[in-house]
Amino acid sequence: MNVIKVLHVTTHDEDCGIAKYQQNYIDSFTKNYPEIENQIFEYSPNKTKTMNEAQFNEALGLFKQQIANYDILHIQHEFGFFQHNELEQYVKFAKKMHKKVIFTVHTSPDVVIIIPKLGGIGPRSIYKYLRERRHANELIKRHVIPLRLADIVLAHNELTIKSLLEFGVAKDKVIRIKHPIPNLISRLSSDEIKSKLDYHEGDIIFACVGFMHKHKGLFDAVKALNYLPHTYKLAIIGGVHPFSDSADIYNKITDLIVQYNLQDRVYITGFIKEDNRLNSLIQEAIVCVYPYDGVYYGKTSSGALNLAFANSMPVIAYPTATIREIAEDSKGAAVLTDTFSYYELARKLLTTNFEEKRQQSVKYAKIMSWNMQTSKLTKIYKSIID
């Protein structure tokens, strides 16, 4: 048996969705595909991005030693991971050593890289344009140039692929690989949410899942309660990410809850570190809701959405472009609102057949399991080596 050796540059052993994403892949490889040997480079991007030049040169020295013994370099790309020229150095040295390079891109480039337009011919307009153009060029050099050098670029949705092509990544290099759904083995019992919300038989607990962020529609989820019977209650399962740019969202959400006098109908769990506890809390709900921002989540996939499917939950969501793709792939496991409106969110919560959608969610989770998607990634690794 010919073994393919892959060195991964990714976050790991930290509170990061991409770290868990990649660890799930590696666990699946270890269990099912012994012909793929995986190793995570010990320096997480969250560490190297804060290093000075001397510190990074030391890390790069270790990288150069390790990549010599591997066939493929696989990098998990998120814009916040790489603040300097780390990607360029990794990719150029790997190519110099005749290694294959693969990226998995988690956020569409045009979400972060905004190409400015000249707004006028006055000095201020020209200065503003030049400043923004310089910033865009720096991001292109830091992120896009290394992507163009890769052998394969993986993306989870069509809009990200479209953006990659617009930024000059060759079409024959780009492959869509669907975001896998975890296969849950351990299921714990929990009544934390039901206790906090004074649950009675017949109550409908709907949940928002994942780190609290301004783009996740938490305000709309709270506001929807105003159009729902008192038997409907909301659980916000998660807290603020330590590196979030929405640190003030916690107070704003609780202020809104107090404003509408909904204290007895909303419970916020706060940050949850343990996956087993997270899943047990999700299972206390009847349905998970994702009233996501249409612009940001039009081009970004959400691992939190797959946690609902993994826990056999029905899903109600706003019709973002990426979630529309999932609704089509899942043949209706995700129910989409007609518009980006919390009134429509409330309407769907009143009219959706939760048990019917639960069964569709179970089927979709089996099709999209990590083991199934790992099989596809294995074929990609083999094809690039062959």
Side-chain angles (χ1 to χ4, degrees):
M1 178 178 63
N2 293 326
V3 175
I4 297 173
K5 301 179 69 175
V6 185
L7 182 65
H8 298 270
V9 172
T10 177
T11 50
H12 55 92
D13 299 326
E14 53 198 293
D15 295 321
C16 169
I18 292 174
K20 293 179 180 180
Y21 167 99
Q22 188 57 20
Q23 190 58 55
N24 278 326
Y25 260 125
I26 290 176
D27 290 346
S28 184
F29 276 123
T30 301
K31 182 179 179 181
N32 301 292
Y33 301 94
E35 66 269 34
I36 308 296
E37 180 182 320
N38 297 281
Q39 177 65 45
I40 295 177
F41 182 52
E42 70 175 78
Y43 288 100
S44 163
N46 278 334
K47 292 182 179 178
T48 54
K49 72 181 183 181
T50 64
M51 290 179 175
N52 59 36
E53 185 176 357
Q55 291 170 329
F56 180 68
N57 283 338
E58 183 177 340
L60 187 63
L62 178 61
F63 171 82
K64 290 178 178 180
Q65 291 177 23
Q66 291 189 345
I67 192 62
N69 299 314
Y70 288 84
D71 305 299
I72 297 173
L73 170 64
H74 192 159
I75 300 172
Q76 300 299 314
H77 181 274
E78 184 57 79
F79 282 89
F81 287 172
F82 305 99
Q83 299 296 324
H84 307 289
N85 67 341
E86 304 100 307
L87 282 179
E88 179 185 14
Q89 302 237 41
Y90 289 144
V91 172
K92 284 189 173 180
F93 189 80
K95 300 297 286 186
K96 182 179 179 181
M97 297 289 290
H98 306 291
K99 309 299 180 181
K100 301 298 184 181
V101 177
I102 297 178
F103 278 89
T104 299
V105 176
H106 292 271
T107 297
S108 180
D110 59 348
V111 172
V112 178
I113 306 175
I114 309 300
I115 305 300
K117 295 181 179 179
L118 184 60
I121 59 173
R124 289 185 179 180
S125 296
I126 294 173
Y127 177 75
K128 180 174 182 290
Y129 169 78
L130 292 174
R131 185 180 69 248
E132 292 175 350
R133 180 75 239 195
R134 186 163 53 248
H135 178 64
N137 288 344
E138 178 59 34
L139 290 174
I140 290 170
K141 179 182 177 183
R142 187 185 307 164
H143 297 277
V144 176
I145 300 302
L147 287 170
R148 292 174 184 166
L149 294 173
D151 297 280
I152 289 179
V153 179
L154 304 175
H156 293 122
N157 58 73
E158 294 298 335
L159 283 177
T160 298
I161 290 175
K162 180 175 181 289
S163 179
L164 287 166
L165 299 182
E166 289 173 348
F167 274 96
V169 179
K171 185 176 182 179
D172 60 353
K173 292 182 178 181
V174 182
I175 299 174
R176 184 186 175 197
I177 184 167
K178 297 176 183 179
H179 198 301
I181 295 174
N183 179 25
L184 303 184
I185 300 173
S186 177
R187 294 180 181 269
L188 303 178
S189 177
S190 172
D191 63 357
E192 176 183 333
I193 291 172
K194 290 181 177 179
S195 174
K196 296 294 185 181
L197 290 175
D198 191 25
Y199 174 84
H200 293 85
E201 187 173 353
D203 286 353
I204 304 295
I205 296 176
F206 64 101
C208 295
V209 179
F211 287 116
M212 299 172 72
H213 194 273
K214 60 186 177 184
H215 295 306
K216 290 190 173 179
L218 299 176
F219 298 103
D220 279 17
V222 172
K223 291 176 183 178
L225 284 168
N226 292 308
Y227 290 96
L228 293 166
H230 285 275
T231 52
Y232 282 73
K233 300 174 180 181
L234 169 64
I236 298 175
I237 303 175
V240 177
H241 193 284
F243 302 117
S244 174
D245 59 355
S246 296
D248 61 342
I249 194 171
Y250 217 137
N251 285 339
K252 289 182 178 179
I253 287 291
T254 49
D255 286 346
L256 189 67
I257 292 167
V258 171
Q259 178 185 335
Y260 290 125
N261 195 28
L262 296 170
Q263 294 94 315
D264 60 341
R265 295 175 64 195
V266 183
Y267 173 59
I268 303 174
T269 66
F271 173 70
I272 300 166
K273 186 175 181 64
E274 304 82 10
D275 288 343
N276 283 342
R277 180 177 170 232
L278 173 62
N279 291 314
S280 69
L281 291 169
I282 293 171
Q283 291 163 32
E284 290 192 63
I286 299 294
V287 57
C288 292
V289 300
Y290 298 87
Y292 283 178
D293 175 79
V295 176
Y296 183 84
Y297 278 101
K299 300 169 183 177
T300 302
S301 299
S302 170
L305 185 67
N306 281 346
L307 285 174
F309 294 126
N311 283 283
S312 307
M313 288 287 116
V315 167
I316 297 175
Y318 281 176
T320 72
T322 54
I323 297 180
R324 285 202 305 270
E325 287 185 27
I326 291 170
E328 292 171 4
D329 292 340
S330 66
K331 295 179 170 55
V335 176
L336 303 183
T337 59
D338 295 331
T339 60
F340 293 82
S341 160
Y342 58 84
Y343 185 89
E344 293 298 331
L345 177 63
R347 190 198 302 275
K348 291 297 184 184
L349 282 164
L350 288 168
T351 59
T352 297
N353 184 326
F354 296 133
E355 186 53 38
E356 175 187 310
K357 295 303 173 183
R358 180 186 297 276
Q359 295 305 316
Q360 290 176 319
S361 181
V362 170
K363 292 177 182 178
Y364 182 57
K366 289 180 180 178
I367 295 170
M368 294 297 296
S369 71
W370 229 281
N371 290 345
M372 293 289 287
Q373 298 309 305
T374 303
S375 172
K376 294 179 180 179
L377 186 53
T378 298
K379 292 177 182 177
I380 290 172
Y381 284 163
K382 289 181 177 179
S383 70
I384 198 175
I385 293 301
D386 291 340

